[in-house]
Amino acid sequence: MPAERPAGQSAGESAGQPAPRPVRYEVSGSVAYVTMNRPEYRNAQNSAMTYALDSAFYRAADDADVKAVVLAGAGEHFSAGHDIGTPERDAHLPFERRAGLWWDHCDRRGAESRFARESEVYLGMCRRWRELPKPVIASVQGACVAGGLMLAWVCDLIVASEDAFFADPVVRMGIPGVEYFAHPWVMPPRIAKEFLFTGERMSARRAYEVGMVNRVVPRDELAAATRDLADRVGEMPRLGLALTKRAVNQAEDLQGLHAGMDSVFGLHHLAHAHNAETAADPLGGMDVRAMKEAGTR
């Protein structure tokens, strides 16, 4: 494999950066490997990671030799979700907006701030990544919780290790699921309701049974199994892959995926506003510890 370079790092930058970049990028054959790189925080997604992911996906899209992309997480877990409390949480910082035309959230208050930021970094980014005209395969181990689900669900295929688990415990915040509300499309509606109503973990095997996951393999075989699948996809014609992905995505949108997300995004922000008025904060007083405990059920 070629030497890897963090997404967004130029060839002239030193490889010995004191703070590692939040996303690693490398190419092997016809496959680009995009790896979330905050393992000490279970790959919790701060804005820096989100925009680094965006840069990595753009890079893969622009590379004519890349036919498929693998999205993975460094360390023991794929992603524990949105960053709601690490020392590097950067929700208050401005970033160059890419996913929409909403204003900078930093100099606004209340719903003007929250709706603008989440339209950009959560719903907007995920929708755009779903449209990457190359197949994306998620390689999931350990926790895939809340915001982690959004990253897995924008991918076209999911390979999970036997120890992987999936959960969306944000109903405990009084919020009807994460911002990229794909639940009733990636699993049957009654399963989606149970998944949300209880906030309990869904095992990789159960996720496979309900059609959310393509393959389940032992943990020590995850990287090889994902690489094998990506290499097989990468043997297909680039345009054929792009058009086929577009065809299936269009079918999902005709089944209401795009409009459904818009409607639930409004409910999501109604819940934030309710929490801001009646609870300790827009998250209903659920901090990192409380959410971690909820996700272990």
Side-chain angles (χ1 to χ4, degrees), residues 102 114-120 122-124 127 178-181 260-270:
W102 279 93
R114 193 175 305 111
F115 193 93
R117 179 174 185 270
E118 295 194 358
S119 293
E120 164 79 5
Y122 297 154
L123 183 59
R127 276 181 165 168
V178 290
E179 295 84 353
Y180 186 85
F181 192 84
M261 284 188 183
D262 279 340
S263 64
V264 178
F265 193 65
L267 298 176
H268 183 99
H269 282 274
L270 172 62

Side-chain angles (χ1 to χ4, degrees), residues 132-209:
L132 175 68
K134 297 178 180 181
V136 184
I137 303 171
S139 183
V140 178
Q141 82 283 9
C144 183
V145 176
L149 294 170
M150 295 165 52
L151 297 184
W153 288 346
V154 300
C155 297
D156 303 289
L157 306 174
I158 300 176
V159 181
S161 64
E162 291 174 338
D163 68 336
F165 63 90
F166 305 83
D168 190 357
V170 302
V171 175
R172 294 181 184 277
M173 298 176 173
I175 297 172
V178 290
E179 295 84 353
Y180 186 85
F181 192 84
H183 306 65
W185 286 270
V186 300
M187 63 184 91
R190 283 192 176 85
I191 303 300
K193 288 178 181 178
E194 179 184 2
F195 186 68
L196 288 162
F197 290 168
T198 66
E200 294 175 351
R201 291 182 177 185
M202 178 183 288
S203 69
R205 180 57 55 185
R206 178 60 170 159
Y208 175 80
E209 290 171 353

Side-chain angles (χ1 to χ4, degrees), residues 172 288-297:
R172 294 181 184 277
V288 174
R289 181 184 296 276
M291 289 303 291
K292 185 175 180 179
E293 290 174 354
T296 61
R297 291 175 178 268

Side-chain angles (χ1 to χ4, degrees), residues 31-274:
V31 181
Y33 291 85
V34 176
T35 305
M36 294 177 282
N37 191 36
R38 300 185 74 207
E40 68 274 28
Y41 301 120
R42 305 205 303 174
N43 293 315
Q45 305 153 33
N46 59 5
S47 294
M49 173 183 281
T50 300
Y51 282 92
L53 283 170
D54 194 59
S55 295
F57 288 137
Y58 259 109
R59 187 171 174 181
D62 286 341
D63 190 338
D65 293 328
V66 168
K67 292 185 178 180
V69 180
V70 169
L71 175 63
E76 293 300 307
H77 301 280
F78 178 74
S79 176
H82 297 144
D83 187 342
I84 62 173
T86 81
E88 297 165 15
R89 187 170 189 254
D90 52 12
H92 63 292
L93 298 178
F95 285 81
E96 181 182 359
R97 297 181 301 285
R98 301 177 186 173
L101 294 175
W102 279 93
W103 47 71
D104 186 353
H105 69 284
C106 292
D107 60 349
R108 310 298 169 108
R109 299 179 60 190
E112 275 195 308
S113 174
R114 193 175 305 111
F115 193 93
R117 179 174 185 270
E118 295 194 358
S119 293
E120 164 79 5
V121 298
Y122 297 154
L123 183 59
M125 288 288 194
C126 285
R127 276 181 165 168
R128 195 168 63 179
W129 298 340
R130 174 178 175 255
E131 297 303 319
L132 175 68
K134 297 178 180 181
V136 184
I137 303 171
S139 183
V140 178
Q141 82 283 9
C144 183
V145 176
L149 294 170
M150 295 165 52
L151 297 184
W153 288 346
V154 300
C155 297
D156 303 289
L157 306 174
I158 300 176
V159 181
S161 64
E162 291 174 338
D163 68 336
F165 63 90
F166 305 83
D168 190 357
V170 302
V171 175
R172 294 181 184 277
M173 298 176 173
I175 297 172
V178 290
E179 295 84 353
Y180 186 85
F181 192 84
H183 306 65
W185 286 270
V186 300
M187 63 184 91
R190 283 192 176 85
I191 303 300
K193 288 178 181 178
E194 179 184 2
F195 186 68
L196 288 162
F197 290 168
T198 66
E200 294 175 351
R201 291 182 177 185
M202 178 183 288
S203 69
R205 180 57 55 185
R206 178 60 170 159
Y208 175 80
E209 290 171 353
V210 302
M212 191 172 79
V213 165
N214 295 87
R215 300 182 183 184
V216 178
V217 298
R219 176 68 170 262
D220 60 1
E221 298 177 16
L222 178 63
T226 306
R227 183 171 57 250
D228 178 67
L229 180 58
D231 287 342
R232 291 176 62 186
V233 170
E235 295 173 357
M236 303 294 279
R238 185 173 58 244
L239 181 59
L241 289 170
L243 295 179
T244 302
K245 175 170 179 172
R246 183 63 181 153
V248 177
N249 282 2
Q250 286 177 334
E252 283 188 310
D253 288 339
L254 288 169
Q255 294 167 358
L257 175 62
H258 193 281
M261 284 188 183
D262 279 340
S263 64
V264 178
F265 193 65
L267 298 176
H268 183 99
H269 282 274
L270 172 62
H272 275 317
H274 177 75

